[in-house]
């Protein structure tokens, strides 16, 4: 850490820094509060996504109880090929957002295929997409939580270190400059008195009767 210079230039620099810190702090604190709100919303969305995925799986079992028959193999009926993730800017933070999920459905004949097959295909798609959505929601929570931690650290840096340090330095420099100025005045007066005594003192020899 650089040693503090006790000078007028240093005082001006510290005052400018303090002004800048106080100007930046409100915007940082506002962003912190906004991100905290968004993180809370993201956690609620995550809980909702997980609940939706669980609910869909339960719904499949309720709507299609015949799937409990072990002799019925539908494992290859619907296959998720992949999904596209976009980007969303939230309070200056880039968050993933699910844009599309691609599925491949194994062809099956309309004649001779159980009537519930179409419903099963749709429910399998819905359940898979819900699971992907929950993973994306989990990533959003992690990113926002990290962003909140970082902005909170910056706010604390300004509030607890930079601003108090600048104020302390300004006070210290002012005290030093004030003491120096007073000392200079005293020194000047003493020098003036000494000069007067040296150049215009009483001639004791001439004043003797």
């Amino acid at each position: 850490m650089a040693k503090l210079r006790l000078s007028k230039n240093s005082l001006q620099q510290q005052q400018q820094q303090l002004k800048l810190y106080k100007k930046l702090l409100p915007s940082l604190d506002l962003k912190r509060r906004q991100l905290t709100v968004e993180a809370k919303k993201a956690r609620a969305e995550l809980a909702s996504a997980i609940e939706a995925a669980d609910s869909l799986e339960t719904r499949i079992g309720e709507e299609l109880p015949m799937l409990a028959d072990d002799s019925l193999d539908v494992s290859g009926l619907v296959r998720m090929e992949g999904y596209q993730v976009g980007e969303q800017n939230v309070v200056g933070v880039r968050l993933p957002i699910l844009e599309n999920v691609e599925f491949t459905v194994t062809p099956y004949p309309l004649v001779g295929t159980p009537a519930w097959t179409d419903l099963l295909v749709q429910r399998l798609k819905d359940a898979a997409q819900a699971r992907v959505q929950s993973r994306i929601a989990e990533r959003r929570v992690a990113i926002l939580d990290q962003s909140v931690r970082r902005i909170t650290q910056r706010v604390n840096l300004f509030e607890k270190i930079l601003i108090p340090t600048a104020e302390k330095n300004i006070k210290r420099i002012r005290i030093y400059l004030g003491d120096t100025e007073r000392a200079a005045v005293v020194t000047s007066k003493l020098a003036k008195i000494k000069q007067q005594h040296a150049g215009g003192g009483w001639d004791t020899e001439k004043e003797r009767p």
Side-chain angles (χ1 to χ4, degrees):
M1 185 174 179
K3 185 177 179 180
L4 179 66
R5 297 191 304 274
L6 304 177
S7 65
K8 290 184 178 180
N9 286 338
S10 180
L11 176 61
Q12 186 177 10
Q13 290 175 358
Q14 292 292 324
Q15 289 173 330
Q16 290 174 346
Q17 288 179 357
L18 179 60
K19 184 179 179 180
L20 177 62
Y21 297 153
K22 288 186 175 182
K23 181 180 179 181
L24 293 176
L25 180 57
S27 59
L28 286 174
D29 190 51
L30 175 60
K31 185 174 182 178
R32 178 189 63 80
R33 286 185 277 113
Q34 290 173 331
L35 285 174
T36 300
V37 170
E38 293 298 331
K40 185 177 179 180
K41 286 169 55 178
R43 283 191 289 273
E45 291 171 358
L46 172 59
S48 178
I50 293 174
E51 182 180 357
D54 292 341
S55 177
L56 276 169
E57 292 180 359
T58 301
R59 186 176 176 183
I60 291 174
E62 292 174 349
E63 292 179 337
L64 303 167
M66 66 286 296
L67 296 178
D69 185 355
D70 293 336
S71 64
L72 189 63
D73 184 15
V74 295
S75 58
L77 183 60
V78 176
R79 182 172 66 253
M80 185 176 69
E81 298 294 343
Y83 54 89
Q84 285 78 45
V85 178
E87 193 173 81
Q88 182 184 25
N89 189 313
V90 177
V91 197
V93 178
R94 296 177 179 179
L95 298 176
I97 183 171
L98 183 62
E99 292 185 340
N100 183 48
V101 182
E102 297 177 355
F103 294 98
T104 296
V105 179
T106 301
Y108 55 88
L110 297 179
V111 179
T113 301
W116 47 262
T117 303
D118 290 343
L119 177 61
L120 174 60
V121 169
Q122 187 57 52
R123 291 292 179 263
L124 290 175
K125 286 182 177 180
D126 293 342
Q129 182 163 334
R131 285 300 175 191
V132 173
Q133 186 65 59
S134 66
R135 289 198 293 270
I136 298 297
E138 188 174 2
R139 285 169 56 188
R140 289 170 67 92
V141 168
I143 293 171
L144 283 168
D145 282 346
Q146 184 180 36
S147 297
V148 169
R149 285 194 296 271
R150 286 178 176 175
I151 196 69
T152 299
Q153 288 174 349
R154 292 192 66 190
V155 169
N156 288 339
L157 175 65
F158 275 73
E159 284 185 338
K160 300 178 180 180
I161 298 178
L162 295 180
I163 290 178
T165 299
E167 290 175 338
K168 181 180 178 181
N169 289 342
I170 290 171
K171 182 178 180 180
R172 181 182 171 190
I173 294 172
R174 282 176 172 169
I175 291 175
Y176 174 81
L177 292 178
D179 290 344
T180 302
E181 185 178 350
R182 284 189 292 272
V185 171
V186 172
T187 301
S188 176
K189 288 182 177 180
L190 290 175
K192 187 175 181 180
I193 292 173
K194 185 176 180 181
Q195 186 179 12
Q196 288 176 345
H197 279 242
W202 293 104
D203 189 342
T204 55
E205 293 294 332
K206 294 181 179 180
E207 291 185 357
R208 287 181 182 178

